Amino acid sequence: MKQFVTKHTPGFLVCLVLALIAQGIAKFFPSIGAALFAIGLGILCGNTFLNKSCFDAGTKFSERNLLEYSIVLTGASLLLSDILALGLRGLGFIACQMALTVMVAYLIGRKMGFGKKFSLLMGAGNAVCGSSAIATVSPVVKADSKDKGISITIVNVTGTILMVVLPILTGVVYQHEVMHTSAMIGGTLQSIGQVIASAQLVGGEVVETATIFKIIRIVFIVLVALVYSRMNVEKDDTPLFSKSQAGEHGAVKAGVPWFIIGFFIMAILHSVGVIPPVVSHAAKLVSQQFEIIALAAIGMRVKFRDLAAEGPRAMLYGVGVGACQIVFALVLIRVFIG
């Protein structure tokens, strides 16, 4: 425990301080909010005087673990009726958006000369939940560490760009109407942190609904992994679903993440009245603080040198997939949500 605290404290404290500064600045610019300032400060500091390896463990912990805790606590302030409000139309939108994203990411990747495995990793990362999805499907398609690392970098950068673009787009197209805006943000952005950050730029109700859209996508990672397990990925010059090698991956290890289960448990407890209003309110406040700290960590972990190292071709790939996601969402929202 002492070693864990020593290793993670520097990075966590940096993210905490940046989060507090961001919230202080946001008081003077309430229309912008603390989320964007936290990420901006993280990117600025993480690429200049705070670009030190001693902060890596703490920023990684803050980005991943605090967001997971935040999601669980968010469940304590939601009712099952809020989640079920998405209905079949919401599920249909998510399923179609994810399927189209995987398909277009694969097709663009192959057209640009990238391998099957890398293209499929890009598909999963953009369609489901960024780095976590890539980590889940990597062993399924037997991807090497290089493909995994590059895909994570490109997916995160694409999501960071869209994180700022989508609130502007939804303001123009939907005038920030809650359901449409939430579907666009929660159904498109790559990571749960980016969804929360982007939704924070719009408003509290959008944060909750967009998070629900995103959570449903994360649950679907199980289906994506199962489909990937039936694909032939060993040779780039063979059909993706050829019978010779498809399905030889062995057991597929993919399950619903613990924090998604925790989210639903908390929502059920809140819905049946086990969690009193005062506790629900406190959980929401703590969740919001965890979010801002995690967003500062996300900014800290965006490195300009990583972007330069991947080159323009890989970046163009990521931006191209992101643009397609937006187009798909605009059409599907009109079809399923109206």
Side-chain angles (χ1 to χ4, degrees):
M1 177 60 73
K2 182 179 179 181
Q3 185 179 5
F4 177 87
V5 172
T6 303
K7 184 178 180 181
H8 291 79
T9 296
F12 169 76
L13 288 178
V14 164
C15 296
L16 174 61
V17 170
L18 292 178
L20 293 174
I21 294 173
Q23 291 178 82
I25 297 174
K27 291 181 180 179
F28 298 97
F29 304 95
S31 61
I32 298 178
L36 189 58
F37 288 118
I39 292 174
L41 286 171
I43 293 174
L44 176 63
C45 297
N47 283 279
T48 53
F49 66 98
L50 293 181
N51 188 12
K52 297 179 175 61
S53 59
C54 62
F55 299 128
D56 290 346
T59 56
K60 185 175 182 180
F61 170 83
S62 299
E63 175 187 6
R64 181 170 183 175
N65 295 71
L66 290 186
L67 269 181
E68 292 175 350
Y69 303 151
S70 173
I71 292 167
V72 174
L73 292 173
T74 297
S77 62
L78 293 175
L79 300 172
L80 282 178
S81 57
D82 298 326
I83 301 171
L84 296 176
L86 294 187
L88 293 177
R89 293 185 303 168
L91 291 176
F93 162 73
I94 293 169
C96 291
Q97 176 77 354
M98 290 178 63
L100 289 171
T101 297
V102 171
M103 288 172 57
V104 78
Y106 180 78
L107 293 174
I108 291 176
R110 299 295 285 142
K111 285 291 185 181
M112 293 183 69
F114 293 103
K116 283 184 181 179
K117 296 180 181 181
F118 180 72
S119 301
L120 289 172
L121 293 183
M122 287 288 289
N126 284 286
V128 189
C129 52
S131 304
S132 299
I134 292 171
T136 298
V137 302
S138 288
V140 177
V141 299
K142 299 180 181 178
D144 60 31
S145 57
K146 181 181 178 181
D147 281 349
K148 181 179 176 181
I150 295 175
S151 59
I152 286 174
T153 300
I154 299 303
V155 164
N156 283 335
V157 172
T158 302
T160 301
I161 296 171
L162 295 184
M163 181 177 67
V164 179
V165 170
L166 291 187
I168 300 173
L169 177 65
T170 54
V172 174
V173 179
Y174 304 125
Q175 290 73 53
H176 287 155
E177 190 277 331
V178 173
M179 184 59 72
H180 293 72
T181 300
S182 300
M184 173 63 76
I185 293 175
T188 302
L189 281 172
Q190 283 71 4
S191 76
I192 186 71
Q194 291 160 355
V195 169
I196 293 171
S198 188
Q200 286 275 11
L201 300 180
V202 181
E205 193 172 353
V206 172
V207 175
E208 294 180 352
T209 310
T211 300
I212 295 171
F213 272 100
K214 183 62 179 179
I215 283 172
I216 300 301
R217 286 170 65 194
I218 295 173
V219 171
F220 281 178
I221 184 59
V222 178
L223 296 179
V224 174
L226 288 173
V227 172
Y228 276 22
S229 72
R230 307 304 305 170
M231 294 178 175
N232 171 22
V233 297
E234 295 305 321
K235 296 181 179 180
D236 286 335
D237 59 351
T238 57
L240 194 58
F241 285 98
S242 63
K243 296 180 180 180
S244 58
Q245 294 179 7
E248 295 181 2
H249 301 268
V252 178
K253 296 181 179 179
V256 179
W258 75 269
F259 58 91
I260 301 300
I261 297 173
F263 169 88
F264 281 107
I265 291 174
M266 295 294 277
I268 292 171
L269 293 177
H270 184 220
S271 299
V272 299
V274 174
I275 299 177
V278 63
V279 175
S280 176
H281 180 69
K284 187 172 184 178
L285 291 177
V286 173
S287 175
Q288 290 171 345
Q289 291 304 308
F290 282 176
E291 287 173 11
I292 302 300
I293 297 171
L295 296 176
I298 290 174
M300 285 280 291
R301 295 180 65 79
V302 174
K303 302 299 183 183
F304 294 147
R305 65 173 183 269
D306 294 336
L307 308 186
E310 304 312 334
R313 190 168 70 106
M315 288 305 306
L316 181 62
Y317 181 17
V319 172
V321 174
C324 289
Q325 285 183 280
I326 293 176
V327 173
F328 294 152
L330 289 171
V331 174
L332 292 173
I333 287 171
R334 185 171 183 83
V335 171
F336 287 96
I337 300 177

mmCIF file with all atom_site columns, all heavy atoms in Angstrom, residues 176-194:
data_model
loop_
_atom_site.group_PDB
_atom_site.id
_atom_site.type_symbol
_atom_site.label_atom_id
_atom_site.label_alt_id
_atom_site.label_comp_id
_atom_site.label_asym_id
_atom_site.label_entity_id
_atom_site.label_seq_id
_atom_site.pdbx_PDB_ins_code
_atom_site.Cartn_x
_atom_site.Cartn_y
_atom_site.Cartn_z
_atom_site.occupancy
_atom_site.B_iso_or_equiv
_atom_site.pdbx_formal_charge
_atom_site.auth_seq_id
_atom_site.auth_comp_id
_atom_site.auth_asym_id
_atom_site.auth_atom_id
_atom_site.pdbx_PDB_model_num
ATOM 1   N N   . HIS A 1 176 ? -29.061 22.165 -28.841 1.00 0.00 ? 176 HIS A N   1
ATOM 2   C CA  . HIS A 1 176 ? -28.750 21.476 -27.591 1.00 0.00 ? 176 HIS A CA  1
ATOM 3   C C   . HIS A 1 176 ? -29.969 20.823 -26.957 1.00 0.00 ? 176 HIS A C   1
ATOM 4   O O   . HIS A 1 176 ? -30.029 20.658 -25.732 1.00 0.00 ? 176 HIS A O   1
ATOM 5   C CB  . HIS A 1 176 ? -28.088 22.432 -26.591 1.00 0.00 ? 176 HIS A CB  1
ATOM 6   C CG  . HIS A 1 176 ? -26.670 22.773 -26.963 1.00 0.00 ? 176 HIS A CG  1
ATOM 7   N ND1 . HIS A 1 176 ? -26.060 23.937 -26.548 1.00 0.00 ? 176 HIS A ND1 1
ATOM 8   C CD2 . HIS A 1 176 ? -25.765 22.114 -27.727 1.00 0.00 ? 176 HIS A CD2 1
ATOM 9   C CE1 . HIS A 1 176 ? -24.827 23.983 -27.039 1.00 0.00 ? 176 HIS A CE1 1
ATOM 10  N NE2 . HIS A 1 176 ? -24.621 22.886 -27.760 1.00 0.00 ? 176 HIS A NE2 1
ATOM 11  N N   . GLU A 1 177 ? -30.943 20.416 -27.763 1.00 0.00 ? 177 GLU A N   1
ATOM 12  C CA  . GLU A 1 177 ? -32.052 19.610 -27.247 1.00 0.00 ? 177 GLU A CA  1
ATOM 13  C C   . GLU A 1 177 ? -31.461 18.341 -26.626 1.00 0.00 ? 177 GLU A C   1
ATOM 14  O O   . GLU A 1 177 ? -30.565 17.715 -27.192 1.00 0.00 ? 177 GLU A O   1
ATOM 15  C CB  . GLU A 1 177 ? -32.997 19.260 -28.395 1.00 0.00 ? 177 GLU A CB  1
ATOM 16  C CG  . GLU A 1 177 ? -34.308 18.640 -27.955 1.00 0.00 ? 177 GLU A CG  1
ATOM 17  C CD  . GLU A 1 177 ? -34.201 17.139 -27.705 1.00 0.00 ? 177 GLU A CD  1
ATOM 18  O OE1 . GLU A 1 177 ? -33.351 16.508 -28.371 1.00 0.00 ? 177 GLU A OE1 1
ATOM 19  O OE2 . GLU A 1 177 ? -34.939 16.620 -26.857 1.00 0.00 ? 177 GLU A OE2 1
ATOM 20  N N   . VAL A 1 178 ? -31.955 17.951 -25.453 1.00 0.00 ? 178 VAL A N   1
ATOM 21  C CA  . VAL A 1 178 ? -31.278 16.959 -24.623 1.00 0.00 ? 178 VAL A CA  1
ATOM 22  C C   . VAL A 1 178 ? -31.101 15.612 -25.309 1.00 0.00 ? 178 VAL A C   1
ATOM 23  O O   . VAL A 1 178 ? -29.987 15.080 -25.394 1.00 0.00 ? 178 VAL A O   1
ATOM 24  C CB  . VAL A 1 178 ? -32.016 16.779 -23.271 1.00 0.00 ? 178 VAL A CB  1
ATOM 25  C CG1 . VAL A 1 178 ? -31.410 15.610 -22.484 1.00 0.00 ? 178 VAL A CG1 1
ATOM 26  C CG2 . VAL A 1 178 ? -31.936 18.050 -22.454 1.00 0.00 ? 178 VAL A CG2 1
ATOM 27  N N   . MET A 1 179 ? -32.169 15.011 -25.800 1.00 0.00 ? 179 MET A N   1
ATOM 28  C CA  . MET A 1 179 ? -32.080 13.655 -26.334 1.00 0.00 ? 179 MET A CA  1
ATOM 29  C C   . MET A 1 179 ? -31.214 13.606 -27.587 1.00 0.00 ? 179 MET A C   1
ATOM 30  O O   . MET A 1 179 ? -30.349 12.715 -27.727 1.00 0.00 ? 179 MET A O   1
ATOM 31  C CB  . MET A 1 179 ? -33.473 13.112 -26.644 1.00 0.00 ? 179 MET A CB  1
ATOM 32  C CG  . MET A 1 179 ? -33.473 11.657 -27.111 1.00 0.00 ? 179 MET A CG  1
ATOM 33  S SD  . MET A 1 179 ? -32.740 10.510 -25.905 1.00 0.00 ? 179 MET A SD  1
ATOM 34  C CE  . MET A 1 179 ? -34.031 10.497 -24.649 1.00 0.00 ? 179 MET A CE  1
ATOM 35  N N   . HIS A 1 180 ? -31.414 14.520 -28.511 1.00 0.00 ? 180 HIS A N   1
ATOM 36  C CA  . HIS A 1 180 ? -30.630 14.527 -29.744 1.00 0.00 ? 180 HIS A CA  1
ATOM 37  C C   . HIS A 1 180 ? -29.149 14.803 -29.470 1.00 0.00 ? 180 HIS A C   1
ATOM 38  O O   . HIS A 1 180 ? -28.267 14.138 -30.028 1.00 0.00 ? 180 HIS A O   1
ATOM 39  C CB  . HIS A 1 180 ? -31.183 15.569 -30.720 1.00 0.00 ? 180 HIS A CB  1
ATOM 40  C CG  . HIS A 1 180 ? -32.541 15.255 -31.249 1.00 0.00 ? 180 HIS A CG  1
ATOM 41  N ND1 . HIS A 1 180 ? -33.683 15.339 -30.473 1.00 0.00 ? 180 HIS A ND1 1
ATOM 42  C CD2 . HIS A 1 180 ? -32.958 14.839 -32.487 1.00 0.00 ? 180 HIS A CD2 1
ATOM 43  C CE1 . HIS A 1 180 ? -34.734 15.003 -31.199 1.00 0.00 ? 180 HIS A CE1 1
ATOM 44  N NE2 . HIS A 1 180 ? -34.325 14.692 -32.421 1.00 0.00 ? 180 HIS A NE2 1
ATOM 45  N N   . THR A 1 181 ? -28.903 15.779 -28.603 1.00 0.00 ? 181 THR A N   1
ATOM 46  C CA  . THR A 1 181 ? -27.521 16.122 -28.266 1.00 0.00 ? 181 THR A CA  1
ATOM 47  C C   . THR A 1 181 ? -26.841 14.967 -27.541 1.00 0.00 ? 181 THR A C   1
ATOM 48  O O   . THR A 1 181 ? -25.681 14.635 -27.814 1.00 0.00 ? 181 THR A O   1
ATOM 49  C CB  . THR A 1 181 ? -27.478 17.382 -27.386 1.00 0.00 ? 181 THR A CB  1
ATOM 50  O OG1 . THR A 1 181 ? -28.080 18.469 -28.093 1.00 0.00 ? 181 THR A OG1 1
ATOM 51  C CG2 . THR A 1 181 ? -26.050 17.754 -27.014 1.00 0.00 ? 181 THR A CG2 1
ATOM 52  N N   . SER A 1 182 ? -27.554 14.340 -26.627 1.00 0.00 ? 182 SER A N   1
ATOM 53  C CA  . SER A 1 182 ? -27.002 13.217 -25.868 1.00 0.00 ? 182 SER A CA  1
ATOM 54  C C   . SER A 1 182 ? -26.698 12.033 -26.777 1.00 0.00 ? 182 SER A C   1
ATOM 55  O O   . SER A 1 182 ? -25.683 11.353 -26.608 1.00 0.00 ? 182 SER A O   1
ATOM 56  C CB  . SER A 1 182 ? -27.974 12.787 -24.773 1.00 0.00 ? 182 SER A CB  1
ATOM 57  O OG  . SER A 1 182 ? -28.225 13.842 -23.871 1.00 0.00 ? 182 SER A OG  1
ATOM 58  N N   . ALA A 1 183 ? -27.584 11.796 -27.743 1.00 0.00 ? 183 ALA A N   1
ATOM 59  C CA  . ALA A 1 183 ? -27.352 10.692 -28.690 1.00 0.00 ? 183 ALA A CA  1
ATOM 60  C C   . ALA A 1 183 ? -26.109 10.951 -29.518 1.00 0.00 ? 183 ALA A C   1
ATOM 61  O O   . ALA A 1 183 ? -25.299 10.040 -29.750 1.00 0.00 ? 183 ALA A O   1
ATOM 62  C CB  . ALA A 1 183 ? -28.573 10.521 -29.588 1.00 0.00 ? 183 ALA A CB  1
ATOM 63  N N   . MET A 1 184 ? -25.932 12.192 -29.981 1.00 0.00 ? 184 MET A N   1
ATOM 64  C CA  . MET A 1 184 ? -24.761 12.524 -30.781 1.00 0.00 ? 184 MET A CA  1
ATOM 65  C C   . MET A 1 184 ? -23.476 12.352 -29.976 1.00 0.00 ? 184 MET A C   1
ATOM 66  O O   . MET A 1 184 ? -22.518 11.709 -30.421 1.00 0.00 ? 184 MET A O   1
ATOM 67  C CB  . MET A 1 184 ? -24.876 13.963 -31.294 1.00 0.00 ? 184 MET A CB  1
ATOM 68  C CG  . MET A 1 184 ? -23.617 14.466 -32.017 1.00 0.00 ? 184 MET A CG  1
ATOM 69  S SD  . MET A 1 184 ? -23.206 13.552 -33.520 1.00 0.00 ? 184 MET A SD  1
ATOM 70  C CE  . MET A 1 184 ? -24.434 14.225 -34.648 1.00 0.00 ? 184 MET A CE  1
ATOM 71  N N   . ILE A 1 185 ? -23.447 12.912 -28.774 1.00 0.00 ? 185 ILE A N   1
ATOM 72  C CA  . ILE A 1 185 ? -22.238 12.866 -27.951 1.00 0.00 ? 185 ILE A CA  1
ATOM 73  C C   . ILE A 1 185 ? -22.003 11.461 -27.391 1.00 0.00 ? 185 ILE A C   1
ATOM 74  O O   . ILE A 1 185 ? -20.919 10.899 -27.507 1.00 0.00 ? 185 ILE A O   1
ATOM 75  C CB  . ILE A 1 185 ? -22.324 13.901 -26.814 1.00 0.00 ? 185 ILE A CB  1
ATOM 76  C CG1 . ILE A 1 185 ? -22.292 15.322 -27.403 1.00 0.00 ? 185 ILE A CG1 1
ATOM 77  C CG2 . ILE A 1 185 ? -21.187 13.711 -25.807 1.00 0.00 ? 185 ILE A CG2 1
ATOM 78  C CD1 . ILE A 1 185 ? -22.498 16.419 -26.374 1.00 0.00 ? 185 ILE A CD1 1
ATOM 79  N N   . GLY A 1 186 ? -23.032 10.882 -26.770 1.00 0.00 ? 186 GLY A N   1
ATOM 80  C CA  . GLY A 1 186 ? -22.889 9.567  -26.158 1.00 0.00 ? 186 GLY A CA  1
ATOM 81  C C   . GLY A 1 186 ? -22.780 8.438  -27.157 1.00 0.00 ? 186 GLY A C   1
ATOM 82  O O   . GLY A 1 186 ? -22.213 7.391  -26.856 1.00 0.00 ? 186 GLY A O   1
ATOM 83  N N   . GLY A 1 187 ? -23.298 8.662  -28.374 1.00 0.00 ? 187 GLY A N   1
ATOM 84  C CA  . GLY A 1 187 ? -23.265 7.617  -29.384 1.00 0.00 ? 187 GLY A CA  1
ATOM 85  C C   . GLY A 1 187 ? -22.085 7.702  -30.322 1.00 0.00 ? 187 GLY A C   1
ATOM 86  O O   . GLY A 1 187 ? -21.904 6.823  -31.151 1.00 0.00 ? 187 GLY A O   1
ATOM 87  N N   . THR A 1 188 ? -21.278 8.758  -30.184 1.00 0.00 ? 188 THR A N   1
ATOM 88  C CA  . THR A 1 188 ? -20.189 8.978  -31.133 1.00 0.00 ? 188 THR A CA  1
ATOM 89  C C   . THR A 1 188 ? -18.811 8.984  -30.487 1.00 0.00 ? 188 THR A C   1
ATOM 90  O O   . THR A 1 188 ? -17.881 8.348  -30.995 1.00 0.00 ? 188 THR A O   1
ATOM 91  C CB  . THR A 1 188 ? -20.391 10.311 -31.880 1.00 0.00 ? 188 THR A CB  1
ATOM 92  O OG1 . THR A 1 188 ? -21.649 10.292 -32.549 1.00 0.00 ? 188 THR A OG1 1
ATOM 93  C CG2 . THR A 1 188 ? -19.278 10.555 -32.880 1.00 0.00 ? 188 THR A CG2 1
ATOM 94  N N   . LEU A 1 189 ? -18.660 9.691  -29.375 1.00 0.00 ? 189 LEU A N   1
ATOM 95  C CA  . LEU A 1 189 ? -17.333 9.881  -28.798 1.00 0.00 ? 189 LEU A CA  1
ATOM 96  C C   . LEU A 1 189 ? -16.710 8.571  -28.326 1.00 0.00 ? 189 LEU A C   1
ATOM 97  O O   . LEU A 1 189 ? -17.404 7.642  -27.911 1.00 0.00 ? 189 LEU A O   1
ATOM 98  C CB  . LEU A 1 189 ? -17.391 10.890 -27.653 1.00 0.00 ? 189 LEU A CB  1
ATOM 99  C CG  . LEU A 1 189 ? -17.427 12.347 -28.126 1.00 0.00 ? 189 LEU A CG  1
ATOM 100 C CD1 . LEU A 1 189 ? -17.683 13.287 -26.962 1.00 0.00 ? 189 LEU A CD1 1
ATOM 101 C CD2 . LEU A 1 189 ? -16.136 12.727 -28.822 1.00 0.00 ? 189 LEU A CD2 1
ATOM 102 N N   . GLN A 1 190 ? -15.387 8.549  -28.344 1.00 0.00 ? 190 GLN A N   1
ATOM 103 C CA  . GLN A 1 190 ? -14.656 7.301  -28.185 1.00 0.00 ? 190 GLN A CA  1
ATOM 104 C C   . GLN A 1 190 ? -14.574 6.807  -26.743 1.00 0.00 ? 190 GLN A C   1
ATOM 105 O O   . GLN A 1 190 ? -14.768 5.630  -26.483 1.00 0.00 ? 190 GLN A O   1
ATOM 106 C CB  . GLN A 1 190 ? -13.250 7.477  -28.774 1.00 0.00 ? 190 GLN A CB  1
ATOM 107 C CG  . GLN A 1 190 ? -13.189 7.429  -30.291 1.00 0.00 ? 190 GLN A CG  1
ATOM 108 C CD  . GLN A 1 190 ? -13.796 8.640  -30.988 1.00 0.00 ? 190 GLN A CD  1
ATOM 109 O OE1 . GLN A 1 190 ? -14.227 9.589  -30.337 1.00 0.00 ? 190 GLN A OE1 1
ATOM 110 N NE2 . GLN A 1 190 ? -13.843 8.608  -32.305 1.00 0.00 ? 190 GLN A NE2 1
ATOM 111 N N   . SER A 1 191 ? -14.256 7.649  -25.792 1.00 0.00 ? 191 SER A N   1
ATOM 112 C CA  . SER A 1 191 ? -14.091 7.181  -24.413 1.00 0.00 ? 191 SER A CA  1
ATOM 113 C C   . SER A 1 191 ? -15.149 7.797  -23.515 1.00 0.00 ? 191 SER A C   1
ATOM 114 O O   . SER A 1 191 ? -15.738 8.843  -23.828 1.00 0.00 ? 191 SER A O   1
ATOM 115 C CB  . SER A 1 191 ? -12.690 7.537  -23.882 1.00 0.00 ? 191 SER A CB  1
ATOM 116 O OG  . SER A 1 191 ? -12.613 8.912  -23.555 1.00 0.00 ? 191 SER A OG  1
ATOM 117 N N   . ILE A 1 192 ? -15.383 7.164  -22.388 1.00 0.00 ? 192 ILE A N   1
ATOM 118 C CA  . ILE A 1 192 ? -16.370 7.659  -21.436 1.00 0.00 ? 192 ILE A CA  1
ATOM 119 C C   . ILE A 1 192 ? -15.963 9.028  -20.895 1.00 0.00 ? 192 ILE A C   1
ATOM 120 O O   . ILE A 1 192 ? -16.802 9.903  -20.677 1.00 0.00 ? 192 ILE A O   1
ATOM 121 C CB  . ILE A 1 192 ? -16.573 6.653  -20.269 1.00 0.00 ? 192 ILE A CB  1
ATOM 122 C CG1 . ILE A 1 192 ? -17.710 7.089  -19.351 1.00 0.00 ? 192 ILE A CG1 1
ATOM 123 C CG2 . ILE A 1 192 ? -15.283 6.434  -19.488 1.00 0.00 ? 192 ILE A CG2 1
ATOM 124 C CD1 . ILE A 1 192 ? -19.064 6.966  -19.942 1.00 0.00 ? 192 ILE A CD1 1
ATOM 125 N N   . GLY A 1 193 ? -14.662 9.245  -20.728 1.00 0.00 ? 193 GLY A N   1
ATOM 126 C CA  . GLY A 1 193 ? -14.194 10.552 -20.263 1.00 0.00 ? 193 GLY A CA  1
ATOM 127 C C   . GLY A 1 193 ? -14.477 11.646 -21.255 1.00 0.00 ? 193 GLY A C   1
ATOM 128 O O   . GLY A 1 193 ? -14.863 12.763 -20.885 1.00 0.00 ? 193 GLY A O   1
ATOM 129 N N   . GLN A 1 194 ? -14.299 11.354 -22.531 1.00 0.00 ? 194 GLN A N   1
ATOM 130 C CA  . GLN A 1 194 ? -14.581 12.339 -23.564 1.00 0.00 ? 194 GLN A CA  1
ATOM 131 C C   . GLN A 1 194 ? -16.066 12.639 -23.646 1.00 0.00 ? 194 GLN A C   1
ATOM 132 O O   . GLN A 1 194 ? -16.466 13.787 -23.875 1.00 0.00 ? 194 GLN A O   1
ATOM 133 C CB  . GLN A 1 194 ? -14.051 11.834 -24.905 1.00 0.00 ? 194 GLN A CB  1
ATOM 134 C CG  . GLN A 1 194 ? -12.535 11.793 -24.966 1.00 0.00 ? 194 GLN A CG  1
ATOM 135 C CD  . GLN A 1 194 ? -12.007 10.874 -26.046 1.00 0.00 ? 194 GLN A CD  1
ATOM 136 O OE1 . GLN A 1 194 ? -12.770 10.178 -26.715 1.00 0.00 ? 194 GLN A OE1 1
ATOM 137 N NE2 . GLN A 1 194 ? -10.689 10.852 -26.216 1.00 0.00 ? 194 GLN A NE2 1
#
